[in-house]
Amino acid sequence: QPTFAGWSMKYVAASEDVKRLLASFGHTRFDPYRFDDAQMAEMVALLQARPEATDARASRPASADQASTRIAHQALVVSVAALALALLAIVLALRS
């Protein structure tokens, strides 16, 4: 029986309760792939105790959304530039 019926992913905010639980596991960041069965059960229990948010952004301030958008835009610009340089390198290599 699904524990979290109605959705497939949950936003995990870096709140104090999550940070404390991660510290008790000896972790400094949320990486569920490193959790053992007991740690997974503890994290699920903590998440089940939280009220549901209809959107991950509901628990984040607007400034965090703006910062995320800015970072995503910068990452896109860097990615496009890297792609252009890679294509240029391929063209130059084919001419040689």
Side-chain angles (χ1 to χ4, degrees):
Q1 167 176 337
T3 304
F4 298 105
W7 49 268
S8 61
M9 187 178 296
K10 182 164 182 148
Y11 174 75
V12 178
S15 61
E16 289 305 312
D17 56 348
V18 171
K19 289 179 185 178
R20 276 192 302 274
L21 187 57
L22 291 173
S24 75
F25 297 163
H27 300 286
T28 56
R29 64 186 186 91
F30 183 80
D31 183 359
Y33 295 104
R34 294 181 54 211
F35 294 173
D36 62 28
D37 290 344
Q39 292 170 339
M40 186 67 69
E42 286 185 62
M43 183 61 72
V44 167
L46 176 66
L47 297 177
Q48 284 177 317
R50 288 180 160 195
E52 290 295 324
T54 57
D55 187 333
R57 290 171 288 180
S59 62
R60 294 168 48 194
S63 60
D65 285 336
Q66 292 167 349
S68 295
T69 301
R70 186 175 60 253
I71 290 169
H73 182 262
Q74 290 170 345
L76 178 62
V77 169
V78 170
S79 298
V80 169
L83 179 60
L85 288 174
L87 290 173
L88 178 62
I90 290 170
V91 169
L92 292 176
L94 291 174
R95 287 187 175 180
S96 299

